[in-house]
Amino acid sequence: MMTQEAVTPIMSKMTEFHDILLVVIFAVSVFVFILLAYVFVKFNAKANPVPSKNSHNTLLEIVWTVVPVIILVAITIPSLRILYFSETIEDAEMTLKVTGNQWYWSYQYPDNGDISFDSYMIPDEEIGPGQFRLLEVDNRIVIPVDTTIRVQLTASDVIHNWAVPAFGVKLDAVPGRLNENWIRVKKIGTYYGQCSELCGVGHGFMPIAVEVVSKENFALWVEGAKKEFAEGGSQVKTYAAVGGN
Ligand SMILES: [Cu+2]
């Protein structure tokens, strides 16, 4: 609810957790609202002309300290569980290396013939019908469906952040560091994300577009992309451009 449809195991867990938190937040808000309303009605100057002189109530103070602490600890446990889950990469079938640059992304496929390319946003004046403004790129990432992919992140200049909401990935790309995460996308489709670390004047103009295709079509794309990049040639890097639909 309210988040993009979850297409990876990490995002499924995050969405479940989000829906639980929503109930907790709602319950706390309603409780506080009822208390306030009670005070407004019962203790205003008209209804309660002689105010009480109490300034302490030990039991009440312990309760209003301990109960929030219990709630926070209860939230921490599932939260940390998801964090560890996202950082434990089991049996990755391939690696996607992502490098943030001012202001575009570079992608490398070390397990697929070491394909590498840059991915720039399509500027407004070149945007075509059906393309999302500020989200579409010249070279989309293409990855296979139902495949565990290790995502490695770094940057060449300043800190960027590779964030794709439907994948539940939002991780800093830091110069001199290699951060890791993993994805396993269960649904063929096109997914978008954006740089989510303020990285300079072009921060809002380095989107992420990911095309998730069947394993067969991915193999086809790899063959096409290898040739294109070897020839240092044209911008034919999306799956559709090498004969897909
Ligand atoms: Cu950036």
Side-chain angles (χ1 to χ4, degrees):
M1 284 253 300
M2 296 203 281
T3 51
Q4 288 185 26
E5 187 194 351
V7 293
T8 62
I10 294 173
M11 192 55 197
S12 299
K13 283 177 190 282
M14 284 183 181
T15 307
E16 272 167 38
F17 186 42
H18 166 269
D19 291 349
I20 294 168
L21 283 185
L22 213 55
V23 175
V24 174
I25 293 164
F26 189 72
V28 169
S29 305
V30 167
F31 178 67
V32 171
F33 178 79
I34 288 171
L35 280 184
L36 277 175
Y38 180 75
V39 170
F40 290 163
V41 173
K42 193 89 194 277
F43 298 105
N44 65 54
K46 223 185 272 172
N48 187 46
V50 189
S52 141
K53 295 246 163 40
N54 281 351
S55 62
H56 286 292
N57 185 317
T58 309
L59 178 68
L60 201 57
E61 284 162 22
I62 289 173
V63 170
W64 78 40
T65 307
V66 171
V67 170
V69 167
I70 291 171
I71 294 173
L72 288 178
V73 170
I75 289 172
T76 307
I77 294 165
S79 173
L80 285 177
R81 224 176 254 161
I82 294 176
L83 188 63
Y84 289 126
F85 180 71
S86 74
E87 293 194 336
T88 309
I89 305 161
E90 274 171 22
D91 304 323
E93 293 160 74
M94 61 173 272
T95 298
L96 173 69
K97 192 180 171 201
V98 180
T99 307
N101 312 284
Q102 281 178 316
W103 288 276
Y104 60 97
W105 296 98
S106 305
Y107 298 105
Q108 269 171 281
Y109 292 69
D111 301 325
N112 306 89
D114 217 9
I115 303 164
S116 73
F117 56 86
D118 297 334
S119 183
Y120 284 85
M121 186 188 79
I122 308 269
D124 283 2
E125 55 274 19
E126 288 166 30
I127 204 92
Q131 290 187 324
F132 293 116
R133 179 176 166 266
L134 298 180
L135 285 178
E136 199 50 74
V137 298
D138 56 356
N139 296 319
R140 288 175 172 178
I141 310 157
V142 178
I143 53 170
V145 74
D146 290 327
T147 306
T148 305
I149 301 169
R150 179 195 303 272
V151 181
Q152 294 188 326
L153 294 148
T154 189
S156 66
D157 37 42
V158 299
I159 303 175
H160 300 268
N161 184 304
W162 199 77
V164 182
F167 296 173
V169 173
K170 184 181 226 171
L171 202 61
D172 272 1
V174 184
R177 268 186 70 104
L178 199 68
N179 282 341
E180 284 194 333
N181 212 300
W182 64 280
I183 51 178
R184 186 182 175 88
V185 186
K186 64 178 180 192
K187 201 173 157 193
I188 288 174
T190 307
Y191 303 93
Y192 295 95
Q194 290 171 303
C195 179
S196 298
E197 177 67 67
L198 196 53
C199 59
V201 69
H203 166 64
F205 311 105
M206 48 182 297
I208 298 151
V210 187
E211 232 172 299
V212 178
V213 300
S214 68
K215 293 184 185 192
E216 300 75 47
N217 287 341
F218 177 71
L220 193 72
W221 174 81
V222 168
E223 288 318 306
K226 270 186 203 161
K227 273 182 223 136
E228 287 301 326
F229 293 111
E231 288 155 13
S234 62
Q235 299 288 302
V236 186
K237 282 107 192 184
T238 61
Y239 162 63
V242 294
N245 39 43

